[in-house]
Amino acid sequence: MQLESRNKGTIRVPNEKIQSSSSTPPPQPEFNCNHYYLQLVKQTPMMVIIFATMALSCLVMYHSSITLPVSGGYNNHSANSLSRILKGATMDNNTVIITSLNDAWAEPESMFDLLLESFQIGNQTKRFLKHLVVVTVDQKAHARCLRLHPHCYNLNTDGMDFSEEAGFMTADYLKIVWRKIDFLGKVLDLGYSFVFTDADIMWFRDPFSQFDKDADFQTSCDFFNGNPSDLRNQPNTGFSYVKSNEKTIQLYKFWYKSRMTYPDLHDQDVFNKIKFDPFVQNIGLGIRFLDTAYFGGFCHPSQDLNKACTMHANCCVGLENKVHDLGVMLNDWRKYMKSFVNETRGEYKGSWTVPQLCRDSFRRPRAPKKKVGQGIKS
């Protein structure tokens, strides 16, 4: 906000006549620090000291009045912080990788550690870590992120505590997933494209080579029918590549607004509804569904480890179940990568040995308690 004088009259100065075109008294001038100083310095040195104090107050008031417009409840500090983090993490094409965490998923030897390890041991995926932005929804998760990773953004959750595991379809779960959709819309609005990846998705290869360069919105699937353009595919928006443009910005606004139309559904099920909506059709959004041969999960695993880019612990509930099976999955990958070292890749006949505890976890959502580290390291 710029400060400008609205004083249209003539300031009275001793021994000078007021120039006025009418008999109407001139409006009273606004307070002006510099004018007041001229009057004071003609008096005593003590007044100079008083002026210095007042001048400092004027300077502070001026700077405190400068604000930037921010929408959607994001204050200036958080908006500036987000822009700085995105700029520091972006690739050359203004694309970042984003994941989200709460304290339960950020605990040692839990989901965050597994995700970071997958980047480390994947086939040329370590380089993507410098482009990964970790969005945390509580202070404990944020503190641990800062100890492990350079790009951490703490998302304001208006005093709500999301540190505990949010059970599937609980009130906290729905608040978190819809806060995520709102946040991702802000990222697009800032001009950044993104790959969003749930923290329970392991990265094994560069996914960008498998993306359709002409699509606006691309998402993985729980079940893929073989046609990437068919809206009847069953999407899983936990892994998505979204380009920043007017079409995707409008999509995310409509998606977030649609939570009111479908109050009992989570974000993914709502997307499954609105993908057929005339609004989405009319904005000309190019949607593609990713082949599970490259972007698989426990619902529909990728059968060929020579193709797998990511694997998702979907069709699974319960943090302990997910952590156990993802640890097993990383061990499967290590065995596969070891075949390169031993030059036995062509002879390697191994495949994923998961799901294990995740199998039928919707009927048995909690795995037995285990010792720290079990199922994570070989």
Side-chain angles (χ1 to χ4, degrees):
M1 179 177 68
Q2 294 182 341
L3 295 181
E4 54 179 321
S5 175
R6 296 183 299 275
N7 185 5
K8 304 302 182 182
T10 304
I11 299 176
R12 182 181 299 277
V13 180
N15 301 323
E16 291 186 8
K17 293 182 179 180
I18 299 175
Q19 302 298 322
S20 178
S21 61
S22 70
S23 60
T24 303
Q28 291 299 315
E30 292 184 352
F31 179 77
N32 184 289
C33 292
N34 291 331
H35 169 68
Y36 193 57
Y37 166 70
L38 292 174
Q39 303 303 309
L40 291 175
V41 294
K42 293 180 179 179
Q43 300 181 37
T44 65
M46 179 60 69
M47 299 303 292
V48 176
I49 298 175
I50 296 174
F51 159 74
T53 303
M54 297 181 66
L56 180 61
S57 298
C58 287
L59 185 64
V60 170
M61 288 192 310
Y62 170 76
H63 284 287
S64 66
S65 69
I66 300 176
T67 58
L68 296 174
V70 179
S71 63
Y74 285 70
N75 59 35
N76 297 337
H77 175 74
S78 62
N80 292 337
S81 174
L82 176 59
S83 295
R84 174 179 52 80
I85 291 171
L86 293 173
K87 184 177 180 180
T90 187
M91 304 176 197
D92 292 338
N93 58 353
N94 250 31
T95 301
V96 294
I97 301 167
I98 299 176
T99 193
S100 60
L101 292 172
N102 68 350
D103 176 49
W105 282 41
E107 287 290 328
E109 299 189 335
S110 188
M111 210 67 73
F112 188 35
D113 286 5
L114 292 168
L115 174 65
L116 294 179
E117 185 175 356
S118 78
F119 279 102
Q120 294 283 351
I121 69 174
N123 187 0
Q124 299 183 356
T125 54
K126 185 176 180 179
R127 59 195 171 97
F128 290 120
L129 282 171
K130 63 184 177 182
H131 304 299
L132 175 67
V133 175
V134 179
V135 179
T136 57
V137 296
D138 62 78
Q139 290 295 334
K140 289 182 68 176
H142 189 63
R144 185 152 199 272
C145 179
L146 290 173
R147 291 196 294 270
L148 299 178
H149 191 68
H151 307 303
C152 305
Y153 179 75
N154 190 26
L155 186 62
N156 179 17
T157 52
D158 301 322
M160 293 180 285
D161 181 11
F162 293 136
S163 58
E164 297 297 324
E165 179 187 359
F168 183 66
M169 292 305 294
T170 61
D172 278 354
Y173 174 87
L174 292 175
K175 289 175 183 176
I176 290 174
V177 297
W178 285 117
R179 193 76 173 93
K180 176 191 73 176
I181 296 301
D182 183 46
F183 171 79
L184 293 176
K186 297 293 191 301
V187 173
L188 294 172
D189 208 29
L190 288 170
Y192 290 90
S193 304
F194 62 78
V195 175
F196 180 81
T197 177
D198 279 343
D200 61 345
I201 295 176
M202 304 293 100
W203 282 54
F204 298 123
R205 282 189 180 86
D206 179 355
F208 288 90
S209 61
Q210 300 301 324
F211 293 149
D212 185 329
K213 62 182 180 62
D214 296 323
D216 302 302
F217 178 93
Q218 302 179 62
T219 181
S220 61
C221 297
D222 283 338
F223 297 97
F224 179 68
N225 67 14
N227 182 353
S229 300
D230 190 349
L231 293 178
R232 292 172 296 182
N233 279 296
Q234 297 183 33
N236 187 308
T237 55
F239 185 89
S240 53
Y241 174 42
V242 187
K243 295 179 181 177
S244 175
N245 57 42
E246 189 59 33
K247 291 179 284 188
T248 57
I249 291 170
Q250 290 301 314
L251 168 68
Y252 272 76
K253 288 179 179 178
F254 181 65
W255 192 354
Y256 184 67
K257 184 179 179 180
S258 295
R259 77 193 190 284
M260 308 300 293
T261 308
Y262 306 101
D264 297 326
L265 300 182
H266 58 69
D267 60 319
Q268 181 175 297
D269 282 349
V270 170
F271 176 79
N272 221 16
K273 296 283 188 181
I274 67 172
K275 67 184 182 182
F276 297 106
D277 194 279
F279 176 84
V280 175
Q281 304 296 317
N282 291 337
I283 62 176
L285 184 75
I287 301 177
R288 295 294 181 272
F289 299 92
L290 299 172
D291 191 339
T292 49
Y294 300 94
F295 304 93
F298 293 165
C299 299
H300 195 180
S302 55
Q303 299 299 324
D304 188 348
L305 272 67
N306 294 310
K307 293 182 178 180
C309 293
T310 63
M311 274 283 285
H312 190 180
N314 54 3
C315 291
C316 180
V317 292
L319 179 59
E320 297 90 348
N321 297 326
K322 285 178 177 278
V323 168
H324 176 275
D325 280 17
L326 288 174
V328 173
M329 182 193 295
L330 290 180
N331 286 338
D332 291 341
W333 180 259
R334 289 189 196 94
K335 293 174 184 177
Y336 168 74
M337 292 298 291
K338 190 176 180 180
S339 69
F340 285 83
V341 177
N342 297 335
E343 299 183 352
T344 58
R345 178 186 176 190
E347 303 172 11
Y348 184 77
K349 303 300 182 184
S351 60
W352 304 116
T353 61
V354 286
Q356 293 181 8
L357 295 182
C358 280
R359 193 181 303 278
D360 299 324
S361 61
F362 280 89
R363 293 196 293 269
R364 182 197 38 77
R366 293 286 180 179
K369 292 291 183 181
K370 53 185 179 296
K371 297 178 181 181
V372 174
Q374 182 179 341
I376 297 177
K377 301 294 182 182
S378 57

